[in-house]
Amino acid sequence: MKQYDAIIIGFGKAGKTLAAELSNRGWQVAIVERSNMMYGGTCPNIACIPTKMLVHEAEVSALLYYDDFPKQANMYKQAIGRKNRLTSFLRNDNYERLNKRPNVTIYTGTGSFVSSNTIKVALPEGDIELQGKEIFINTGSTPIIPAIDGIQHSQHVYTSSTLLDLNVLPHHLIIIGGGYIGLEFASMYAGFGSKVTILEGGNKFMPREDRDIANSVKEVMDKKGIEIHLNTRAQSVHDTSDGVTLTYSDVSDGTPYYVDGDAILIATGRKPMIEGLNLQAAGVGVDAHGAIIVNDQLRTTVPHIWAMGDVKGGSQFTYVSLDDFRIIRDQLFGDKKRDIGDRDPVQYAVFIDPPLAHIGISEEEALKRGYSFKVSRLPATSIVRTRTLQQTDGMLKAIINNHNGKIMGCTLFCADASEIINTVAMAMKTGQPSTFLRDFIFTHPSMSEGLNQLFDV
Ligand SMILES: Cc1cc2nc3c(=O)[nH]c(=O)nc-3n(C[C@H](O)[C@H](O)[C@H](O)COP(=O)(O)OP(=O)(O)OC[C@H]3O[C@@H](n4cnc5c(N)ncnc54)[C@H](O)[C@@H]3O)c2cc1C
């Protein structure tokens, strides 16, 4: 049986970064990836990178060919081709970066535990077993597929990964789930010219956001013609001669409805990918949501087995997975000061058009917790840069502590929000008062200079 200092199951962000680090330190490393289409993990192959490329393509398409469906459909087809070339380039690059290292071996097969130190890899030529002193689980997450009649047999039902392979632009895309992935796809396909209908089970649009922000997003979605139905439960799916019919009911009174479309996207969340890992053979515990239980330093219930990225539950972001790598590096080689408790608040961005980004506390949370704070709001139109970009939609909002002037939270729904939020995050994490951003010198004209106005309260 081959012996390794480390076995990493899953070629995700944390896994590949850790493999390179351990290799630099002279460890013998095995990295196990179940699919030759997934080197580099979810982000570059089927998630962040392809979607953000298509979000950009959709914005260009909307500018060039607004209201001309055949031209948009052609642009979409070409965009899918460009996306495929990019993901293929990144996949090969990710593979080569590890493969060229003499002390890293990539096994392309599904990994599972035989015992706490032994991993079985199912290779096309047969199973092999590997032994590792330290084992790292980085298997990511997988879409949750709700029980809807007919969903398994329909030719028109997609997940976020499979929809990215469809190169025919749907005239009408139905999205089940109004979470952030659902909204990104809604905005993107509406940009390409599809009619989009979102069916959301909850009774509140964007429940995590303050109502003024959610309403502002809703207004922009309305302008794009995106229909949003709350309180719905999808019941059944039937393929028809020219598409698909989805039957759903109104949760409040049971009234049945149906909607016809060309494609249905299931965007009802993602769960930790533990299927087939045979965790019980190693004694690795999972919680009620199927997430691998870890302590603050990312050790599982078996001390030499670690979990990182989506599989351990919590926020599902590539940069959180990368930070998990940093925590483990610190535990193995550093002064052991880092843990998951010290990275909050973590910012996030939703790549709708314009993008929405947030960090820290919302106004509703601040009220609930009884803080003394002030709120600043700024319409995006107040920033002259939005006019030069012809992207005047949206608003900015900040929550500032009355006692110490520190920034408690900030939401940006405006052009470049996904970039500017990092500046706010830096100010917050370095403990700057809000006046720091009020008086900061930004380039002009830029979206960042909106922070001068936002924090002038
Ligand atoms: C549509 C979409 C858009 C997103 N956009 C963003 C974004 O813009 N920004 C952002 O930060 N995050 C985004 N995310 C989330 C982000 O993609 C994930 O949080 C991140 O990729 C998780 O990385 P990870 O390290 O947990 O592992 P992953 O990158 O998921 O890698 C896990 C790997 O393990 C492999 N694997 C699974 N089981 C086994 C097994 N038993 N044996 C061997 N290999 C196995 C899988 O094939 C996969 O390659 C998005 C997600 C989706 C779905």
Side-chain angles (χ1 to χ4, degrees):
M1 197 184 308
K2 289 210 172 136
Q3 314 277 330
Y4 289 94
D5 297 314
I7 301 175
I8 300 168
I9 311 175
F11 208 130
K13 184 69 180 177
K16 65 189 178 190
T17 318
L18 183 66
E21 175 75 29
L22 297 179
S23 151
N24 287 343
R25 292 174 183 269
W27 289 36
Q28 291 297 324
V29 180
I31 183 159
V32 183
E33 169 52 53
R34 66 179 164 161
S35 163
N36 64 2
M37 294 302 284
M38 290 294 283
Y39 302 128
T42 303
C43 167
N45 289 296
I46 54 171
C48 329
I49 303 297
T51 54
K52 269 79 246 185
M53 182 176 190
L54 291 175
V55 162
H56 170 70
E57 294 265 6
E59 285 166 16
V60 176
S61 181
L63 276 176
L64 291 177
Y65 306 124
Y66 177 73
D67 248 6
D68 185 338
F69 191 84
K71 282 200 174 141
Q72 293 253 58
N74 184 41
M75 170 92 181
Y76 173 76
K77 193 182 176 117
Q78 290 180 30
I80 294 289
R82 284 190 282 271
K83 180 272 296 177
N84 288 341
R85 286 192 286 283
L86 175 64
T87 53
S88 161
F89 163 76
L90 294 173
R91 190 161 49 246
N92 292 337
D93 188 52
N94 272 287
Y95 182 85
E96 284 311 324
R97 278 166 191 262
L98 290 186
N99 194 43
K100 69 181 182 200
R101 294 167 177 267
N103 54 349
V104 176
T105 309
I106 302 171
Y107 292 94
T108 307
T110 301
S112 59
F113 283 90
V114 175
S115 70
S116 65
N117 284 98
T118 308
I119 300 295
K120 181 173 83 183
V121 186
L123 298 172
E125 59 273 23
D127 296 352
I128 55 158
E129 288 189 357
L130 315 174
Q131 233 175 22
K133 290 181 199 152
E134 302 282 335
I135 298 181
F136 303 89
I137 307 170
N138 183 219
T139 49
S141 57
T142 187
I144 297 169
I145 308 294
I148 300 172
D149 274 357
I151 206 174
Q152 300 294 349
H153 306 294
S154 170
Q155 302 294 307
H156 302 282
V157 173
Y158 300 87
T159 62
S160 61
S161 339
T162 56
L163 189 59
L164 295 176
D165 289 332
L166 178 74
N167 66 4
V168 179
L169 181 65
H171 281 271
H172 185 183
L173 173 66
I174 302 162
I175 301 180
I176 304 179
Y180 294 141
I181 291 181
L183 294 181
E184 270 187 17
F185 274 79
S187 181
M188 179 209 307
Y189 277 86
F192 275 121
S194 298
K195 156 110 192 93
V196 176
T197 302
I198 299 176
L199 300 177
E200 162 57 33
N203 61 4
K204 227 173 164 187
F205 178 63
M206 303 185 84
R208 278 169 67 178
E209 307 298 336
D210 283 335
R211 289 307 81 199
D212 49 357
I213 297 287
N215 291 340
S216 181
V217 174
K218 172 92 173 34
E219 240 170 62
V220 172
M221 296 248 158
D222 287 346
K223 268 208 280 187
K224 292 182 199 290
I226 298 170
E227 263 185 54
I228 301 164
H229 300 281
L230 301 177
N231 264 324
T232 60
R233 176 149 311 134
Q235 307 278 12
S236 64
V237 167
H238 296 284
D239 286 1
T240 59
S241 53
D242 56 354
V244 63
T245 301
L246 175 79
T247 310
Y248 66 96
S249 61
D250 184 318
V251 178
S252 50
D253 58 10
T255 313
Y257 295 92
Y258 71 90
V259 55
D260 294 324
D262 312 299
I264 297 175
L265 168 66
I266 305 290
T268 42
R270 292 174 68 84
K271 59 180 181 189
M273 180 58 195
I274 56 164
E275 215 180 297
L277 277 175
N278 198 22
L279 293 171
Q280 59 282 9
V284 171
V286 295
D287 69 14
H289 306 287
I292 293 182
I293 298 168
V294 288
N295 65 12
D296 280 1
Q297 293 76 38
L298 299 173
R299 287 184 200 265
T300 67
T301 46
V302 182
H304 70 274
I305 303 179
W306 311 67
M308 46 205 196
D310 289 4
V311 75
K312 65 176 202 316
S315 306
Q316 298 177 346
F317 295 112
T318 297
Y319 46 90
V320 170
S321 180
L322 178 63
D323 198 54
D324 286 352
F325 149 74
R326 293 189 193 109
I327 290 171
I328 291 176
R329 179 183 57 189
D330 181 61
Q331 288 299 314
L332 293 175
F333 311 112
D335 54 15
K336 299 185 172 42
K337 286 201 174 133
R338 282 292 327 271
D339 67 41
I340 51 179
D342 65 22
R343 64 181 165 211
D344 284 339
V346 174
Q347 64 273 36
Y348 62 82
V350 188
F351 288 74
I352 50 178
D353 175 26
L356 171 79
H358 175 83
I359 184 164
I361 202 166
S362 66
E363 182 182 359
E364 281 175 28
E365 284 172 298
L367 276 171
K368 258 191 231 149
R369 293 196 208 170
Y371 288 122
S372 167
F373 63 93
K374 56 187 165 217
V375 180
S376 170
R377 290 184 184 81
L378 186 74
T381 42
S382 305
I383 307 168
V384 69
R385 179 66 173 151
T386 62
R387 296 178 190 273
T388 66
L389 293 170
Q390 298 174 51
Q391 272 196 309
T392 48
D393 286 328
M395 65 176 285
L396 299 82
K397 180 171 180 179
I399 314 293
I400 296 149
N401 190 308
N402 273 334
H403 296 302
N404 57 18
K406 298 260 170 81
I407 307 163
M408 301 170 76
C410 181
T411 308
L412 308 173
F413 174 46
C414 60
D416 294 343
S418 54
E419 297 287 344
I420 314 164
I421 199 71
N422 295 314
T423 303
V424 180
M426 255 189 263
M428 286 175 77
K429 289 186 182 193
T430 52
Q432 299 292 342
S434 60
T435 47
F436 176 75
L437 290 176
R438 182 194 66 189
D439 300 333
F440 196 83
I441 300 174
F442 290 105
T443 51
H444 171 81
S446 67
M447 286 302 298
S448 303
E449 68 185 337
L451 298 178
N452 286 162
Q453 297 172 70
L454 181 65
F455 290 102
D456 190 12
V457 280

